[in-house]
């Protein structure tokens, strides 16, 4: 029944999906945290930049962002992100796009977490003589992160599925392989089912594990 | 009133004049249309214990919070140890490190243990090494009577214990002056005394203190001076004996008649 799978590197394709997800998750977490920090900073220019960034980026379709990275950054401006062959260049451009896009959602999730931290926590930290960045790093963000594990796991699940858009610029992840197989094999429904199952295998544990983590790290007040 | 039965005796040893630690002159602040601080002049000498009392909404908490600039002021000047209060940045942070603050709602860092709460400022602001910071934290926690709770999280402690940890956290910075913003107002009645006793001890040890409180027993026994505020103004300043037995202003007489007799 599953004969049609022979000759295709299914695991290899999903491995690319996993790599895209992991690198983009790290990238978006770092960039999103910086954006959230800017959004609550006392400097108006930083607040304005972060607000503008989030509003622009989260309202542009991911496909457009990824195509812009490929056509604009690479083909027009020749920015290749330090890679030499097309596979690497496209992979890196996809990670950059996914990170830039997802960071807007990480920032908003994190900002709602910052709002859950009582204002007295920051006041006590200021009264001790800590600087703004110290207060953010040591007091506010650690508590904010603990309260947004669930929203962040939603963002991570969405990111995992969004990696399929990277097929648009030829990154050989799972959905790219799926398109190829659909063209060559006569098992349309089964092929779709196999790939759907593959994504559930990736995302279901993510949700379950992070749900457990969320309870474990919750701050008691 | 909780009767804290400690005799003062600090009153006779009132600090020498001319050694002013905190000076507020002509301070004004508005919250929208509300003129919450009106032409406040107040001088606190080194080693002095000043208790600020008054009805709710009289501006006493705001006054306390302006001293380390948790509230900004609209006009006037505040100086601490001869230096004017910086507007922001590193200078302000450095000054705040020298001013201890205890809040009504404790505000212990919820994600850190009691010990970490008390060492944080030493490690990150004073750059003390870890061992020395922990030793100091433990001895301060012993001093306020919560030494056995060092490894617990704030939410596992009673209100009185949390507030004593908050006092230890402020003391760990070796502050020049301690500000108490209604430190016992959020506590169960039976926990008020354990906090007041720690504060009494601090006062006896010569700490400069500004205490906003409704605890008249504490004001009587520990204060060098009582400042009575109403409607954003300092209405009366006197020694506790004078103030409680023979208030001069009508507003103070009215206030005292309402709280001292039931």
């Amino acid at each position: 029944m599953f004969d049609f799978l022979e000759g295709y590197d299914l695991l290899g394709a999903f491995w690319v999906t996993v790599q895209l997800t992991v690198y983009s998750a790290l990238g978006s977490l770092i960039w999103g945290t910086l954006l959230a920090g800017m959004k609550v900073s006392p400097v108006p220019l930083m607040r304005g930049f972060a607000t503008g960034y989030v509003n622009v980026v989260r309202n542009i379709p991911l496909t457009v962002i990824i195509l812009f990275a490929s056509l604009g950054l690479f083909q027009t401006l020749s920015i290749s992100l330090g890679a030499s062959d097309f596979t690497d260049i496209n992979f890196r451009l996809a990670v950059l796009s996914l990170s830039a896009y997802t960071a807007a959602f990480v920032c908003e999730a994190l900002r709602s977490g910052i709002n859950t931290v009582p204002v007295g926590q920051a006041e006590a930290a200021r009264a001790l003589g800590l600087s703004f960045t110290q207060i953010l790093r040591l007091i506010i963000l650690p508590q904010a992160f603990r309260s947004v594990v669930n929203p962040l796991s939603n963002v991570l699940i969405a990111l995992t599925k969004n990696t399929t858009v990277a097929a648009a610029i030829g990154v050989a992840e799972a959905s790219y392989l799926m398109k190829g197989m659909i063209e060559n094999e006569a098992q349309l429904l089964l092929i779709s089912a196999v790939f759907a199952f593959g994504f559930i295998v990736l995302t279901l544990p993510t949700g379950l594990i992070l749900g457990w983590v969320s309870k474990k790290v919750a701050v008691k007040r | 009133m909780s009767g804290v039965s400690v005799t003062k005796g600090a009153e006779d040893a009132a600090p020498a004049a001319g050694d002013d630690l905190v000076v507020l002159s002509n301070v004004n602040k508005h919250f929208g249309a509300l003129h919450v601080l009106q032409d406040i002049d107040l001088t606190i000498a080194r080693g002095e214990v000043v208790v600020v009392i008054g009805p709710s909404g009289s501006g006493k908490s705001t006054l306390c919070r302006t001293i380390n600039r948790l509230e900004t002021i609209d006009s006037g000047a505040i100086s601490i140890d001869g230096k004017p209060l910086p507007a922001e940045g590193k200078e302000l942070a450095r000054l705040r490190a020298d001013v201890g603050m205890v809040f009504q709602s404790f505000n212990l860092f919820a994600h850190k243990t009691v010990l970490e709460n008390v060492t944080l400022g030493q490690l990150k602001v004073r750059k003390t090494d870890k061992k020395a910071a922990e030793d100091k934290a433990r001895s301060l926690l012993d001093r306020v009577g919560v030494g056995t709770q060092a490894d617990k999280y704030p939410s596992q402690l009673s209100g009185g214990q949390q507030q004593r940890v908050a006092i230890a956290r402020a003391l760990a910075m070796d502050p020049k002056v301690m500000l108490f913003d209604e430190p016992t107002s959020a506590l169960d009645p039976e926990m008020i005394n354990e906090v007041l006793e720690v504060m009494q001890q601090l006062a006896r040890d010569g700490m400069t203190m500004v205490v906003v409180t409704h605890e008249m027993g504490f004001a009587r026994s520990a204060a060098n001076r009582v400042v009575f505020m109403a409607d954003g103004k300092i209405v009366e300043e006197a020694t506790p004996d004078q103030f409680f037995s023979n208030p001069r202003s009508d507003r103070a007489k009215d206030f005292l008649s309402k709280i001292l007799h039931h």
Side-chain angles (χ1 to χ4, degrees), chain B:
Chain B
M1 299 309 104
S2 53
V4 177
S5 58
V6 181
T7 49
K8 58 194 145 186
E11 202 188 324
D12 326 292
D19 195 9
D20 298 337
L21 188 58
V22 181
V23 180
L24 292 85
S25 57
N26 207 21
V27 169
N28 281 282
K29 180 174 179 67
H30 299 77
F31 281 133
L34 183 67
H35 198 172
V36 66
L37 293 179
Q38 303 178 20
D39 299 323
I40 300 289
D41 287 303
L42 181 65
T43 302
I44 295 146
R46 204 178 298 276
E48 194 179 22
V49 177
V50 173
V51 169
V52 184
I53 60 176
S56 297
S58 59
K60 50 193 196 306
S61 276
T62 309
L63 175 73
C64 186
R65 290 163 58 86
T66 58
I67 296 176
N68 67 353
R69 218 169 197 282
L70 285 180
E71 297 285 354
T72 55
I73 56 175
D74 297 336
S75 67
I78 300 176
S79 70
I80 293 178
D81 212 2
K83 288 191 277 292
L85 209 55
E88 54 192 44
K90 282 200 167 64
E91 289 292 308
L92 178 60
R94 201 170 301 141
L95 177 128
R96 279 177 174 151
D98 289 337
V99 179
M101 178 110 191
V102 176
F103 299 85
Q104 180 176 349
S105 49
F106 329 133
N107 294 346
L108 292 178
F109 304 130
H111 63 306
K112 294 193 172 291
T113 64
V114 164
L115 187 71
E116 287 166 347
N117 264 277
V118 184
T119 53
L120 184 78
Q122 300 182 67
L123 296 173
K124 301 296 176 183
V125 179
R126 297 284 191 232
K127 313 285 182 198
T128 322
D129 73 73
K130 194 154 188 270
K131 179 77 174 63
E134 278 187 11
D135 288 347
K136 184 171 186 180
R138 286 189 194 279
S139 80
L140 280 169
L141 288 171
D142 282 337
R143 186 168 148 198
V144 299
V146 286
T148 54
Q149 318 286 337
D151 298 318
K152 290 190 181 167
Y153 283 88
S155 61
Q156 297 170 293
L157 269 56
S158 73
Q161 289 171 326
Q162 288 191 48
Q163 193 61 299
R164 285 183 281 152
V165 174
I167 293 173
R169 176 175 68 178
L171 288 175
M173 305 299 287
D174 295 318
K176 292 174 181 166
V177 52
M178 288 277 286
L179 310 174
F180 293 83
D181 184 7
E182 303 203 24
T184 57
S185 299
L187 295 175
D188 291 341
E190 52 188 330
M191 296 177 178
I192 290 177
N193 272 350
E194 63 190 47
V195 172
L196 289 180
E197 273 159 26
V198 169
M199 291 166 61
Q200 295 272 11
Q201 185 59 49
L202 264 182
R204 280 198 297 271
D205 293 346
M207 174 62 75
T208 311
M209 294 161 66
V210 178
V211 185
V212 174
T213 187
H214 293 291
E215 296 299 327
M216 300 304 146
F218 177 81
R220 273 180 202 275
S221 60
N224 298 117
R225 183 156 47 119
V226 172
V227 171
F228 176 71
M229 281 187 79
D231 306 319
K233 295 191 192 85
I234 293 181
V235 178
E236 192 165 340
E237 284 185 69
T239 63
D241 280 344
Q242 271 172 347
F243 180 77
F244 287 109
S245 56
N246 191 18
R248 294 189 303 272
S249 62
D250 291 341
R251 190 70 185 81
K253 282 175 192 159
D254 181 49
F255 177 75
L256 287 174
S257 74
K258 280 177 185 151
I259 59 162
L260 294 181
H261 314 290
H262 292 281

